[in-house]
Amino acid sequence: MSTAAPARWPRIVKDPTAFKRPPNLADPQAARERFRWSDARSWLDGLPGGAGLNIAHEAVDRHLQHGRGARIALRWIGKTGERRDLGYAELAAASSRFANALASLGLGAGDGVFVLMGRLPELYVAMLGALKARAVVTPLFSAFGPEPIATRCEMGDARLIVTTPELYQRKLRALRERLPRLAHVVLVGDAPPALLAEPGVHAWAALVDAQPDTWTIPATPPESPSLLHFTSGTTGRPKGAQHVHEAVLAHAMTGRYALDLHDDDIYWCTADPGWVTGTSYGIIAPLVCGVTSVVVEAEFDAATWYDVLERERVSVWYTAPTAIRMMMRLGTEPLAGRDLSALRFMASVGEPLNPEAVVWGREAFGLPFHDNWWQTETGGIMIANVPALDILPGSMGQPLPGITAAIVQRGTDGHVHPVGPGIDGELALKTPWPSMMRGYLNEQARYAKCFDGEWYLTGDLARVDDEGYYWFVGRADDVIKSAGHLIGPFEVESALIEHPAVAEAGVIGIPDETVGEVVKAFVALKPGFEASEALNRELLGHARKRLGAAVAPKSIEFRTNLPKTRSGKIMRRLLKARELGLPEGDLSTLESDEKK
Ligand code: ATP
Ligand code: MG
């Protein structure tokens, strides 16, 4: 495997005397040795009377017993600028009303409760209330079309769904016959009387608001099912990862250590709760850590985002490479004159964060972006650039306390074994940890294939260096084999986006009789740059110089946009299928404007 990329980007050295505040994880090395999951348990309360561990209790109700009921839990900013603050006490009462509403419909432990709506306060209330009732919660991204909604509701045995009248009419109504198990639909906001007359359709106000605002959470053994999360579908049909209440230990640890949340922080996670990041780190972890979360209903727009950062005095910001690259397209000018002095820590997840983007953070915000790695299956952040560690741009950081990672290869005995630094292999995590999935819904064989002995195999290729930093190489399915080299698309893409004309790049292998596969790149340009033969040659030359002829792309094609999942990840499998005229597979999570 080529090791071309890392050396070029200088290390970002952390100076402890320059921290805006001392990080929670001051000595990551020592903590890795000393940390036990029982430590995270000791930060939490557990249900009264030893009745177990419930995510919603730790996220919300617990704070009232510690005198923090008046603190703002959620600061909601609507599309048209309206604002609503929900204190911890209010959120506790509202979620209890929702739990009571579920009980009044005969729903409770183990029942599938789905939410399908934009980032409205009721979404947060419903998810927390359903967790209090021990229902199994599945968020669905509100931009899904009817088909992905129907398949997920069927798979997850949805009994009740919370949505808006508009989404119901556009996407769900026609599916009701196909979903006989979906007994109840709760509509948030003003619903036309004709809709409310349909079987099982309820108005939120009538069903929920009149309920008592106290609720005793039933005993919740830590292994009780909590959330069912569907993966992004980047590599194929989305899988349903089943999670349990014990995961809250990992949310507490990672909120504190990976995101450095202190209880007076103003925190903003830009991910939609329709995806696991938006739930684990848009709802659960920040509430468990007692912070104020900013919730922005509007979709991405650089000016709006910068307004939010400045006006709300956001101190910790968790976002994604796709958004960072969109901001980079516009340069630093829109940031001129803004006061972002409250900002202390910026993190990113979801896709590899190109070194260029890490460094751009410093230029634009005075702080680097801290990449971290995890997946729907792991339930929480596993590998991270934490505040106290130097950053090696392009690396996703080091395993968090409580997490043991390794790079493994399969030996002749048929089992995986850890390999040393500098060698590429599959990223593996030693089982168990509290937030790991407990199964893939209806896919036992697939779940079983993720494990070899004590190792969970992530399906991602990476390497570790001498210092213990992990470097993402690519998804096992995306890696390119060319003339005896294994080429990770990420390092080729990162080299391309270093060029000032390139906003985004997606790299795939095209089958070739002589060398196995040849590297091909698809490139989207920044505003002000035109696709041309000359630019094409220049980019090929730039890539050859950076990567060497063996790894650089042999051809480049310009595209206005690259196909992405709705969570913003580049879908290399689709670039490849389209290039080769192969079946396109599951497109349910493709951004709609990309669909043919
Ligand atoms: P599917 O499993 O359905 O194909 P997906 O893997 O994109 O979709 P998620 O669970 O949302 O679904 O994403 C996790 C994956 O995203 C990781 O396995 C990894 O491939 C990628 N990823 C996440 N964070 C990073 C990161 N910091 N660096 C590199 N890759 C990352
Ligand atoms: Mg995956």
Side-chain angles (χ1 to χ4, degrees), residues 245-332:
H245 279 272
E246 192 194 21
V248 71
L249 297 180
H251 299 137
M253 184 279 283
T254 53
R256 182 184 280 221
Y257 288 162
L259 298 177
D260 196 38
L261 295 175
H262 294 66
D263 65 6
D264 55 356
D265 269 316
I266 308 284
Y267 165 77
W268 184 24
C269 170
T270 63
D272 189 272
W275 307 110
V276 73
T277 304
T279 301
S280 289
Y281 296 100
I283 306 179
I284 301 169
L287 293 175
V288 168
C289 293
V291 308
T292 295
S293 270
V294 176
V295 175
V296 179
E297 188 191 7
E299 293 309 322
F300 173 82
D301 165 70
T304 313
W305 276 29
Y306 297 154
D307 283 348
V308 170
L309 289 173
E310 183 175 24
R311 197 186 51 230
E312 306 305 332
R313 301 204 54 78
V314 171
S315 51
V316 178
W317 186 29
Y318 195 23
T319 187
T322 181
I324 298 169
R325 288 193 297 259
M326 284 197 269
M327 291 183 274
M328 286 170 74
R329 275 186 190 209
L330 304 174
T332 52

Side-chain angles (χ1 to χ4, degrees), residues 172-215:
L172 202 57
R173 198 180 197 181
L175 298 172
R176 290 288 302 276
E177 266 185 26
R178 192 176 144 187
L179 299 171
R181 296 272 302 160
L182 181 64
H184 303 282
V185 176
V186 182
L187 298 179
V188 171
D190 290 332
L195 286 191
L196 297 173
E198 292 183 12
V201 176
H202 313 264
W204 174 286
L207 177 71
V208 182
D209 289 348
Q211 297 288 343
D213 50 18
T214 53
W215 165 265

Side-chain angles (χ1 to χ4, degrees), residues 231-235 239 350-352 371-372 375-376 460 475 569:
T231 60
S232 294
T234 313
T235 51
K239 297 148 275 187
E351 276 193 296
D371 188 18
N372 59 50
Q375 47 181 205
T376 309
D460 284 344
R475 292 165 183 265
K569 303 178 192 219

